[in-house]
Amino acid sequence: MLKVGIIGATGYAGGELVRILTGHREAKIQWYGSRSYIDKKYADVYQNMFEIVEDVCRDDNLLELAKEVNVIFTATPQGFCASLMNEEILSHTKVIDLSADYRIKDVQVYEKWYGIEHKSPQFIEEAVYGLCEINREKIKNARLLANPGCYPTCSTLAVYPLAKEGLIDMSTLIIDAKSGTSGAGRGAKVDNLFCEVNENIKAYGVANHRHTPEIEEQLGYAAQKPVTLNFTPHLVPMNRGILVTAYAALNRETSYEEVKSIYDKYYAKERFVRVLNQGVCPQTKWVEGSNYVDVNFVIDERTGRVIMMGAMDNLVKGAAGQAVQNMNLMFGLPESMGLELVPMFP
Amino acid sequence: MLKVGIIGATGYAGGELVRILTGHREAKIQWYGSRSYIDKKYADVYQNMFEIVEDVCRDDNLLELAKEVNVIFTATPQGFCASLMNEEILSHTKVIDLSADYRIKDVQVYEKWYGIEHKSPQFIEEAVYGLCEINREKIKNARLLANPGCYPTCSTLAVYPLAKEGLIDMSTLIIDAKSGTSGAGRGAKVDNLFCEVNENIKAYGVANHRHTPEIEEQLGYAAQKPVTLNFTPHLVPMNRGILVTAYAALNRETSYEEVKSIYDKYYAKERFVRVLNQGVCPQTKWVEGSNYVDVNFVIDERTGRVIMMGAMDNLVKGAAGQAVQNMNLMFGLPESMGLELVPMFP
Amino acid sequence: MLKVGIIGATGYAGGELVRILTGHREAKIQWYGSRSYIDKKYADVYQNMFEIVEDVCRDDNLLELAKEVNVIFTATPQGFCASLMNEEILSHTKVIDLSADYRIKDVQVYEKWYGIEHKSPQFIEEAVYGLCEINREKIKNARLLANPGCYPTCSTLAVYPLAKEGLIDMSTLIIDAKSGTSGAGRGAKVDNLFCEVNENIKAYGVANHRHTPEIEEQLGYAAQKPVTLNFTPHLVPMNRGILVTAYAALNRETSYEEVKSIYDKYYAKERFVRVLNQGVCPQTKWVEGSNYVDVNFVIDERTGRVIMMGAMDNLVKGAAGQAVQNMNLMFGLPESMGLELVPMFP
Amino acid sequence: MLKVGIIGATGYAGGELVRILTGHREAKIQWYGSRSYIDKKYADVYQNMFEIVEDVCRDDNLLELAKEVNVIFTATPQGFCASLMNEEILSHTKVIDLSADYRIKDVQVYEKWYGIEHKSPQFIEEAVYGLCEINREKIKNARLLANPGCYPTCSTLAVYPLAKEGLIDMSTLIIDAKSGTSGAGRGAKVDNLFCEVNENIKAYGVANHRHTPEIEEQLGYAAQKPVTLNFTPHLVPMNRGILVTAYAALNRETSYEEVKSIYDKYYAKERFVRVLNQGVCPQTKWVEGSNYVDVNFVIDERTGRVIMMGAMDNLVKGAAGQAVQNMNLMFGLPESMGLELVPMFP
């Protein structure tokens, strides 16, 4: 039985970690870290956990925690994990960081897009980017795991096969993404009030969203050359779900069957990536609450482009679910343990 | 391993049965009955089940099905189950009927409120009303189980302890209920279109909703005398959830502690009924996707009334979850098997 | 042309005042008061007003403002208006207060339910309660107008005719109300975040909501005796709208026709109260954006009760629209001027 | 006073025509055509119109109607208007067709994308495409007006200035659009049920949506050469609103100021197109209920592309509002008469 600590357990991603780990046979949460709610019962913060979780919230002492548990999840603001990381912590425990601190290999890119100084760049090289379907083998041996961002997970998985096989012109790639509001976190901000989000849709972070360089880096590995792309996120009046619609010019004429076979080559054996049938567009509702990413594509012969689509639950595969998938890999457990969540519809 | 058949597998309650039973270790669905989608892949109707359910939908042959399976769930319109029921079917299999056909013991009451003739009244007496927390022992031996309605489940459980203990004047009982839209089913009706429901709330079935006599009958058993009450349902712009707010005059002065102890007397050991802490009002979101009913109460000394509240997921404890809970009881399985669903928030 | 000042112009009620007054032929807003956004362009706070309102927000100097305008609307927190009111202000201008400061005639009741000291009780007697359909004549001569609360407006109008005519037993009155989230204001609170409200419904303020004594007082005038009642508000995942479902025992047998004629007696000539046809339940969506209150009732012969229902837009008839209706009356303008707003559907 | 007839008055666009025309000083609806609700009171279909509209619905006799009114709005399915149009009708009245029948000049393109035969191609050349901001002069003299589609209105207006000025490479143009559900109409379809749309987002009509050739034709006129583009609509869980996010490569280096001046060149004097301030992204909620289109853009120097955005209410500027704007132009009335609708927020 793995002993688990969570830092940032009362944010939405932290809450989802608790939901998932509560149903995990080989893991037990020992530490519900939450600076805002120290000494308060966790179930008083998240009433859904009433009579399920009896623990109280505790402070964020990373080193003390490291000595108590086998793995720490940090679901904390950018910069937090990097500011505390050191060799001693990693000598005691494994760390799965849900923030962006160790996702980007070039520290200058990180500092430019996030606007903060990286406090422990010496661990960036060691950190493994935890997109399980792509980096599975590396993940198994990681001490420090950078859990991918929500948009990057969905975007990368939707585009990866065609980028990897060189079928698309990466310089033409445009990713238009739509997210539910839980992605904005549980902070009390006017912009995220019900009345501001409901009956509304908007783009935000146009041409400067922080997930852009993360997607570019990962798709650059696939394409084996630097990628510069447009990424535009939109806020949608729903709690959960990310939908990605990506556009790229095809490098040559191709057929539905050929492209389908490429997607199948990478995903047919993947438990959590479902390549939908021809003509079926991914919908976020079909994956809600689960660790699935649904992907599909349409070839537009008129324009010579392919439209690639992906849908997932931003809090599961886009955060806590993938983090648990990574934990399973890092500790030699079956990859899908605790993630046998059937999507909830409606 | 129980062999299970579902009639009406493509309605919302049927879909929820599939979701829950897919995660049940001791049950396997053998028959996905759906008159509307015969020969169509189930996962093409409910895309969330893609790569999870491979079966196709089949016709509704109840007798043939009875010979193949240990238990049949009928998630079908009123009158359907009653019109086909016979001794032969019940000699082969157990039946859990999610419609109202066998819920009401007085066939005249049924026929008056539902406006249809009951085709097999001879089975009404035998049928057991499957409100597990109240009828647990009878359920264990049932062949034919009447799964309670969604509103009656939440209403009855919120009021039951005080009715049973004689603390409230049953002639003053008023139940004001609010439901998500999945309770209206998956039929294509203008009234249930997104644009008609969204940004809207209304009462419906005022003073004549069919769940009224069912609630009256069950609370009458508790109070040991006939009960006539007001029940008013409302349609709320959300997918899932029922909230009940019930009002009754107290028969005598009492205290928070006394009333709390009465609720605890009936529910402290119940896995799926959670009596919340003082001052916490039930919210549907805190139970979404789970089999929990959250209840609580407030004493209003100014008016001498008690306000009783309950919240649950109408598709789980209000339909499919309770049906599986009944199945577990009927087959000697642990009552919560397959129902260890942690509520999903947000 | 009336010169108008608004204090609290950047709250939701303040914003609705701006929307309505912008379309009013005889009124011009001179002062957009907003402590939080001083010197910021109003249209930068409420982007819907871009190219419509060019003014900047100003501080809340009530006396200075009083000298500049004919009427001041105070859409401010409880206590604010009372703390600044004085004879000099009222000698220069009329004041329409959208807070609760002058609604309740018994200052002890106010102080008990609101938990604050009233700073200018000497003006309470003079202040006129601005429920136009009931206090029309008094309103015409008011200097200081107490604009009714949202719940009290809808609750009172739904129940008033039967209370006034003595047809219902006031000691049995229960009001179960449901409101959209704009009623909670634009403050940045976790409880009002999109993800906390969406797909959720809850009761709040059970047995202690501040609007209770206001409703009791108004219905007490109608019934000509003190009234004590239950009032329970619920938060509904929609922006706008209040629905009231009220229950009371009938004092004697009656008929649909008789009750209908009573409602018509009071409302047939009222522009903004619509008594719906038999069998039609009010829906908030049917009045959205307009100053209408839709009311109707159902007699339940089984229980001897009548169910009274009302629906309105909480920001219009429940706040800004009624305030403008009051302004029109106070200045001798046609009562519906600027309020010819057709409800928006869907 | 213009006499107006509406065919299809009980669809969502028809209902919006009624809402807007009810507030128009120089127009009076004489004929509420609705095949589905003949002889039923209009206000019984749209309860928001209770006590506002007293008329009953009538059949769809276009010729008879033509003799009674000055202008007919046809808010009807594709093919309906074309199947009935003839010279005699147009000799009696003007026709504003909200369907696609006369929008596309090349009848073969129409028949290919819509999959139906055009029954009156002889009127296509005469028909004027009613995008007021672009075709104002032609509209003034039109007998037969093709009211633009919702997506084409928003898409064209967002892109038009840069297409017209040759600043963007039209072969790279990608339009990713998001729409509220009222765009799908009031037909009773499972796909548009509340529970299917709520908490969900999906693309549809990928690479084959019927609005594609309409957008291509209009932007082709602007660019003075044929345009082929990608257009992908998405269904968003909200009632109203369309958001367009469009991407194109810039033909040369440019600056914010230059692009802004181009937008201003075309829209500064336009009442209903608002070019937002730098950095402000259009949101559908800021225009809800009004005839505004909000547009803005962001230059992405990294990719050499410009992201163009537009937001409007699909039922107003995208349908009924623009139709009334066209009517005003066709009859020499002030263009904004009846359209002084202030956006409703929240």
Side-chain angles (χ1 to χ4, degrees):
Chain A
M1 183 72 81
L2 291 177
K3 290 184 240 171
V4 174
I6 301 173
I7 305 294
T10 55
Y12 287 144
E16 192 72 355
L17 275 169
V18 174
R19 179 176 82 94
I20 292 171
L21 290 169
T22 298
H24 193 290
R25 292 197 309 279
E26 293 293 336
K28 180 159 172 36
I29 304 173
Q30 302 280 84
W31 186 297
Y32 294 79
S34 170
R35 215 171 255 185
S36 316
Y37 295 102
I38 295 171
D39 291 337
K40 187 161 185 174
K41 269 196 77 168
Y42 188 79
D44 288 344
V45 181
Y46 281 116
Q47 198 70 31
N48 55 326
M49 291 301 173
F50 187 65
E51 297 188 357
I52 299 173
V53 173
E54 298 299 330
D55 302 66
V56 298
C57 297
R58 299 165 71 178
D59 200 355
D60 294 344
N61 190 324
L62 210 55
L63 180 55
E64 186 190 335
L65 173 53
K67 294 176 184 170
E68 287 194 24
V69 299
N70 304 106
V71 58
I72 299 173
F73 293 91
T74 49
T76 43
Q78 316 307 335
F80 178 90
C81 189
S83 71
L84 298 176
M85 190 54 51
N86 60 43
E87 188 57 39
E88 192 180 0
I89 290 170
L90 289 176
S91 73
H92 286 293
T93 190
K94 299 197 179 204
V95 174
I96 298 175
D97 177 26
L98 278 76
S99 85
D101 286 359
Y102 300 103
R103 292 179 193 156
I104 293 173
K105 289 298 173 196
D106 183 337
V107 69
Q108 291 183 316
V109 171
Y110 172 89
E111 294 186 338
K112 178 183 157 205
W113 286 80
Y114 285 86
I116 50 176
E117 186 192 352
H118 200 296
K119 298 290 191 181
S120 55
Q122 69 274 24
F123 294 108
I124 294 179
E125 195 185 333
E126 171 184 354
V128 175
Y129 188 77
L131 193 50
C132 312
E133 287 73 14
I134 293 175
N135 290 341
R136 184 169 284 122
E137 292 312 311
K138 287 186 193 160
I139 292 164
K140 290 179 180 172
N141 301 310
R143 285 198 307 178
L144 174 56
L145 188 123
N147 207 57
C150 53
Y151 287 123
T153 296
C154 197
S155 301
T156 304
L157 289 173
V159 175
Y160 182 80
L162 303 193
K164 182 82 174 172
E165 297 288 322
L167 205 69
I168 52 177
D169 177 352
M170 297 303 284
S171 74
T172 66
L173 185 60
I174 289 169
I175 297 174
D176 190 286
K178 298 90 180 168
S179 175
T181 307
S182 60
R186 212 189 187 201
K189 295 176 188 166
V190 167
D191 280 355
N192 297 330
L193 290 176
F194 182 83
C195 290
E196 310 284 318
V197 174
N198 188 42
E199 276 290 292
N200 198 7
I201 184 169
K202 66 174 177 184
Y204 64 99
V206 180
N208 61 27
H209 192 277
R210 293 165 169 190
H211 281 171
T212 309
E214 184 180 339
I215 302 169
E216 289 178 344
E217 180 174 334
Q218 294 304 317
L219 289 177
Y221 296 143
Q224 292 180 287
K225 60 185 172 193
V227 170
T228 306
L229 52 79
N230 271 102
F231 169 70
T232 313
H234 297 77
L235 188 68
V236 179
M238 58 185 193
N239 285 1
R240 288 168 179 249
I242 280 182
L243 183 75
V244 157
T245 316
Y247 305 83
L250 288 160
N251 279 329
R252 57 173 171 79
E253 274 197 30
T254 181
S255 66
Y256 170 78
E257 288 70 22
E258 184 188 24
V259 177
K260 177 64 158 62
S261 73
I262 291 174
Y263 273 95
D264 284 341
K265 171 178 171 186
Y266 290 92
Y267 297 142
K269 294 188 183 168
E270 289 297 338
R271 166 76 184 262
F272 293 121
V273 184
R274 306 191 292 194
V275 183
L276 302 184
N277 289 331
Q278 187 169 15
V280 179
C281 290
Q283 302 187 21
T284 58
K285 190 68 189 165
W286 296 123
V287 295
E288 190 174 354
S290 81
N291 202 46
Y292 290 107
V293 181
D294 283 0
V295 297
N296 212 347
F297 66 92
V298 172
I299 297 169
D300 187 353
E301 294 181 0
R302 297 171 64 254
T303 61
R305 294 193 189 100
V306 61
I307 299 103
M308 299 156 280
M309 296 171 282
M312 65 166 204
D313 186 321
N314 58 303
L315 291 179
V316 189
K317 183 63 177 174
Q322 184 149 260
V324 171
Q325 192 180 354
N326 278 311
M327 179 193 81
N328 289 339
L329 287 169
M330 290 160 79
F331 288 92
L333 299 170
E335 187 172 335
S336 61
M337 185 175 276
L339 296 168
E340 307 87 349
L341 304 156
V342 180
M344 196 170 84
F345 184 90
Chain B
M1 181 71 81
L2 291 177
K3 290 183 241 172
V4 174
I6 301 172
I7 305 293
T10 54
Y12 287 144
E16 192 71 356
L17 276 169
V18 174
R19 177 175 84 95
I20 293 172
L21 290 169
T22 298
H24 194 290
R25 291 197 309 280
E26 294 294 335
K28 177 157 176 37
I29 304 172
Q30 302 280 85
W31 186 297
Y32 294 79
S34 172
R35 216 171 255 185
S36 317
Y37 294 102
I38 296 172
D39 292 338
K40 187 161 184 174
K41 269 195 78 168
Y42 187 79
D44 288 344
V45 181
Y46 281 116
Q47 197 70 31
N48 55 326
M49 291 300 173
F50 187 66
E51 296 188 357
I52 299 172
V53 173
E54 297 299 330
D55 303 66
V56 296
C57 297
R58 298 165 71 177
D59 200 355
D60 294 345
N61 190 324
L62 210 54
L63 181 55
E64 186 189 334
L65 173 53
K67 295 176 185 169
E68 287 193 24
V69 299
N70 304 106
V71 59
I72 298 174
F73 293 92
T74 50
T76 44
Q78 316 308 335
F80 178 90
C81 188
S83 71
L84 297 176
M85 190 54 51
N86 60 43
E87 189 56 40
E88 192 180 359
I89 290 169
L90 290 175
S91 73
H92 286 294
T93 191
K94 299 199 179 205
V95 174
I96 297 175
D97 178 26
L98 278 76
S99 86
D101 286 0
Y102 300 103
R103 293 178 193 157
I104 293 173
K105 288 299 174 197
D106 184 336
V107 69
Q108 291 183 316
V109 171
Y110 172 89
E111 293 185 341
K112 180 182 157 206
W113 286 79
Y114 285 86
I116 51 176
E117 187 192 351
H118 199 295
K119 298 291 191 182
S120 55
Q122 68 274 23
F123 293 109
I124 295 178
E125 196 185 333
E126 171 184 355
V128 175
Y129 187 77
L131 193 50
C132 312
E133 286 74 14
I134 293 175
N135 291 340
R136 183 169 285 120
E137 292 313 311
K138 285 187 195 160
I139 291 164
K140 291 180 179 171
N141 301 309
R143 285 198 306 179
L144 174 57
L145 188 124
N147 206 59
C150 52
Y151 286 124
T153 295
C154 197
S155 301
T156 304
L157 290 173
V159 175
Y160 181 82
L162 302 193
K164 182 82 175 170
E165 297 287 323
L167 204 71
I168 52 176
D169 177 352
M170 298 303 285
S171 73
T172 66
L173 184 59
I174 289 168
I175 297 173
D176 190 286
K178 298 89 179 166
S179 174
T181 307
S182 60
R186 213 189 188 201
K189 295 176 187 166
V190 167
D191 279 357
N192 298 331
L193 290 177
F194 182 83
C195 289
E196 310 283 318
V197 174
N198 188 42
E199 275 289 294
N200 197 7
I201 183 169
K202 66 172 178 186
Y204 64 98
V206 179
N208 62 25
H209 191 277
R210 294 166 169 190
H211 281 170
T212 309
E214 184 180 338
I215 302 168
E216 289 179 341
E217 181 174 334
Q218 294 305 317
L219 289 177
Y221 296 143
Q224 292 180 287
K225 60 183 172 193
V227 170
T228 307
L229 53 78
N230 271 103
F231 169 70
T232 312
H234 298 75
L235 188 68
V236 179
M238 57 185 192
N239 286 1
R240 289 168 178 249
I242 280 183
L243 183 75
V244 157
T245 316
Y247 304 85
L250 288 160
N251 279 328
R252 58 176 171 78
E253 274 196 30
T254 182
S255 65
Y256 170 78
E257 289 71 21
E258 185 189 22
V259 178
K260 178 63 158 63
S261 73
I262 291 175
Y263 273 95
D264 284 342
K265 172 178 171 186
Y266 291 91
Y267 297 142
K269 295 187 180 167
E270 289 296 340
R271 165 76 184 265
F272 294 121
V273 184
R274 305 192 292 194
V275 184
L276 302 184
N277 289 331
Q278 188 169 13
V280 179
C281 290
Q283 302 187 22
T284 57
K285 190 68 189 164
W286 296 123
V287 295
E288 191 174 354
S290 81
N291 202 46
Y292 290 107
V293 181
D294 282 0
V295 298
N296 212 345
F297 65 92
V298 172
I299 297 169
D300 186 353
E301 294 182 359
R302 296 172 65 253
T303 63
R305 295 194 190 99
V306 62
I307 299 102
M308 298 155 281
M309 295 170 282
M312 63 166 204
D313 186 321
N314 58 304
L315 291 180
V316 189
K317 183 62 177 174
Q322 183 150 260
V324 171
Q325 192 180 354
N326 279 312
M327 180 193 80
N328 289 339
L329 287 170
M330 290 160 78
F331 288 92
L333 299 170
E335 188 172 334
S336 61
M337 184 175 278
L339 297 168
E340 306 88 348
L341 303 157
V342 180
M344 195 170 86
F345 184 90
Chain C
M1 183 70 82
L2 292 177
K3 290 184 239 171
V4 174
I6 302 172
I7 304 294
T10 55
Y12 287 144
E16 192 71 355
L17 276 169
V18 174
R19 178 176 82 95
I20 293 173
L21 290 170
T22 298
H24 194 290
R25 291 197 309 279
E26 294 292 335
K28 179 159 174 38
I29 306 172
Q30 302 279 83
W31 186 298
Y32 294 80
S34 172
R35 215 172 255 184
S36 316
Y37 295 102
I38 295 172
D39 292 337
K40 187 162 185 175
K41 268 196 80 169
Y42 187 79
D44 287 345
V45 182
Y46 281 117
Q47 197 71 30
N48 55 326
M49 292 300 172
F50 186 66
E51 297 189 356
I52 300 173
V53 173
E54 297 299 331
D55 302 65
V56 297
C57 296
R58 299 164 72 178
D59 200 354
D60 294 345
N61 190 325
L62 210 55
L63 181 56
E64 186 190 335
L65 173 54
K67 295 175 184 170
E68 287 193 25
V69 299
N70 305 106
V71 58
I72 298 173
F73 294 91
T74 50
T76 44
Q78 316 308 334
F80 177 90
C81 188
S83 71
L84 297 177
M85 190 55 50
N86 60 42
E87 188 58 39
E88 191 181 359
I89 290 170
L90 289 176
S91 72
H92 286 294
T93 191
K94 298 197 179 205
V95 173
I96 297 175
D97 177 27
L98 279 76
S99 86
D101 285 359
Y102 300 103
R103 292 179 194 157
I104 293 172
K105 290 298 173 195
D106 184 337
V107 68
Q108 291 183 318
V109 172
Y110 173 89
E111 293 185 340
K112 180 183 157 206
W113 286 79
Y114 285 86
I116 51 177
E117 185 192 351
H118 199 296
K119 298 290 189 181
S120 54
Q122 68 274 23
F123 294 108
I124 294 181
E125 195 185 333
E126 171 185 353
V128 175
Y129 187 77
L131 194 50
C132 311
E133 287 73 15
I134 293 175
N135 289 341
R136 184 168 286 122
E137 293 312 312
K138 285 186 196 163
I139 292 165
K140 291 179 180 172
N141 301 309
R143 285 198 306 180
L144 174 56
L145 189 126
N147 206 58
C150 53
Y151 286 124
T153 295
C154 197
S155 300
T156 304
L157 289 174
V159 175
Y160 182 80
L162 302 193
K164 181 82 175 172
E165 297 286 322
L167 205 71
I168 52 177
D169 178 352
M170 298 303 284
S171 73
T172 66
L173 185 59
I174 289 168
I175 297 173
D176 190 285
K178 299 90 180 167
S179 176
T181 307
S182 59
R186 213 189 187 200
K189 295 175 188 166
V190 167
D191 280 355
N192 298 330
L193 289 178
F194 183 83
C195 290
E196 309 283 318
V197 174
N198 188 42
E199 275 291 293
N200 197 7
I201 184 169
K202 65 173 178 185
Y204 65 98
V206 180
N208 63 26
H209 192 276
R210 294 166 169 191
H211 281 171
T212 309
E214 184 180 339
I215 302 170
E216 290 179 341
E217 181 175 334
Q218 295 304 318
L219 289 177
Y221 297 142
Q224 293 180 286
K225 59 185 173 192
V227 169
T228 307
L229 53 78
N230 271 102
F231 169 70
T232 313
H234 297 76
L235 188 68
V236 179
M238 56 186 192
N239 286 2
R240 289 169 178 248
I242 280 182
L243 184 75
V244 157
T245 316
Y247 305 83
L250 287 160
N251 279 328
R252 57 176 171 78
E253 274 197 28
T254 182
S255 65
Y256 169 78
E257 288 72 22
E258 185 188 22
V259 178
K260 178 63 157 63
S261 72
I262 291 174
Y263 273 95
D264 284 341
K265 172 179 171 184
Y266 291 91
Y267 297 142
K269 294 187 181 167
E270 289 296 340
R271 165 76 185 262
F272 294 122
V273 184
R274 304 191 295 193
V275 183
L276 302 184
N277 289 331
Q278 189 169 13
V280 180
C281 289
Q283 302 187 21
T284 58
K285 190 67 189 167
W286 296 123
V287 294
E288 190 174 356
S290 81
N291 201 47
Y292 290 106
V293 180
D294 283 359
V295 298
N296 212 347
F297 66 91
V298 171
I299 296 169
D300 187 353
E301 294 181 359
R302 297 171 66 252
T303 62
R305 293 194 190 99
V306 62
I307 300 102
M308 297 156 281
M309 295 171 281
M312 63 165 204
D313 186 321
N314 58 304
L315 290 180
V316 189
K317 183 65 178 173
Q322 183 149 259
V324 171
Q325 192 180 353
N326 278 312
M327 179 193 80
N328 289 339
L329 287 170
M330 291 161 78
F331 288 92
L333 299 170
E335 188 171 334
S336 62
M337 185 175 276
L339 297 168
E340 307 89 346
L341 304 157
V342 181
M344 197 169 84
F345 184 90
Chain D
M1 182 71 83
L2 291 177
K3 290 184 241 172
V4 173
I6 302 172
I7 304 294
T10 55
Y12 287 143
E16 192 70 356
L17 276 169
V18 174
R19 178 175 83 96
I20 293 172
L21 289 170
T22 297
H24 194 291
R25 292 198 310 278
E26 295 292 336
K28 178 158 175 36
I29 304 173
Q30 302 280 84
W31 186 297
Y32 295 80
S34 171
R35 215 171 255 186
S36 316
Y37 293 103
I38 294 173
D39 292 336
K40 188 161 184 174
K41 268 196 78 169
Y42 187 78
D44 288 345
V45 181
Y46 280 116
Q47 197 71 31
N48 56 327
M49 291 302 172
F50 186 65
E51 297 189 357
I52 299 173
V53 173
E54 297 299 330
D55 302 67
V56 297
C57 296
R58 298 164 73 177
D59 200 354
D60 294 344
N61 190 324
L62 210 55
L63 181 54
E64 188 190 333
L65 173 53
K67 295 174 183 169
E68 288 193 23
V69 299
N70 304 108
V71 59
I72 298 172
F73 293 91
T74 50
T76 45
Q78 316 307 334
F80 177 90
C81 189
S83 71
L84 296 177
M85 190 53 51
N86 60 43
E87 188 58 38
E88 191 180 0
I89 290 170
L90 290 176
S91 71
H92 286 293
T93 191
K94 299 198 178 205
V95 173
I96 297 175
D97 178 27
L98 279 76
S99 86
D101 286 359
Y102 301 102
R103 292 178 194 156
I104 293 173
K105 290 298 173 196
D106 183 337
V107 69
Q108 291 183 317
V109 171
Y110 172 89
E111 293 186 339
K112 180 183 158 205
W113 286 80
Y114 284 86
I116 50 176
E117 186 192 350
H118 200 295
K119 297 291 189 181
S120 55
Q122 69 273 23
F123 293 108
I124 295 179
E125 195 185 333
E126 171 185 355
V128 175
Y129 187 77
L131 194 50
C132 312
E133 286 74 14
I134 294 174
N135 290 340
R136 184 169 284 122
E137 293 311 312
K138 285 186 195 162
I139 291 166
K140 291 180 180 172
N141 301 308
R143 284 197 309 178
L144 174 57
L145 188 124
N147 207 58
C150 53
Y151 286 123
T153 296
C154 198
S155 301
T156 304
L157 289 173
V159 175
Y160 182 80
L162 303 193
K164 182 82 175 172
E165 297 287 322
L167 205 71
I168 52 176
D169 178 351
M170 298 302 286
S171 73
T172 66
L173 185 60
I174 288 169
I175 298 173
D176 190 285
K178 299 89 178 168
S179 175
T181 308
S182 59
R186 213 190 186 198
K189 295 177 188 166
V190 167
D191 280 356
N192 297 330
L193 289 177
F194 182 83
C195 290
E196 310 282 319
V197 174
N198 188 41
E199 276 290 294
N200 197 7
I201 184 168
K202 65 173 177 184
Y204 65 98
V206 180
N208 62 26
H209 192 277
R210 294 166 169 191
H211 281 171
T212 310
E214 185 181 337
I215 301 169
E216 290 178 342
E217 181 175 334
Q218 294 304 318
L219 290 177
Y221 296 143
Q224 292 180 287
K225 60 184 173 192
V227 170
T228 306
L229 52 78
N230 271 103
F231 169 70
T232 313
H234 297 76
L235 188 67
V236 179
M238 58 185 190
N239 286 0
R240 290 169 178 248
I242 281 183
L243 184 74
V244 157
T245 316
Y247 305 83
L250 287 160
N251 279 329
R252 56 177 171 78
E253 274 197 30
T254 181
S255 65
Y256 169 77
E257 288 70 22
E258 184 188 23
V259 177
K260 178 63 158 60
S261 72
I262 291 175
Y263 273 95
D264 285 341
K265 171 179 172 185
Y266 290 92
Y267 296 143
K269 294 187 181 168
E270 288 297 339
R271 166 76 185 264
F272 295 121
V273 184
R274 305 191 294 193
V275 184
L276 302 183
N277 289 331
Q278 187 169 14
V280 179
C281 290
Q283 303 188 20
T284 58
K285 191 66 188 165
W286 296 123
V287 294
E288 190 174 356
S290 81
N291 201 47
Y292 291 107
V293 181
D294 283 0
V295 298
N296 212 347
F297 66 92
V298 172
I299 296 169
D300 187 353
E301 294 182 0
R302 297 172 64 253
T303 62
R305 293 194 190 100
V306 62
I307 299 102
M308 298 156 282
M309 296 172 280
M312 64 165 203
D313 186 321
N314 58 303
L315 290 180
V316 190
K317 183 63 177 174
Q322 183 148 261
V324 170
Q325 192 180 354
N326 279 312
M327 180 193 78
N328 289 340
L329 287 170
M330 290 160 78
F331 288 92
L333 299 170
E335 188 171 334
S336 62
M337 184 176 277
L339 297 168
E340 306 87 348
L341 304 156
V342 180
M344 196 169 86
F345 183 90

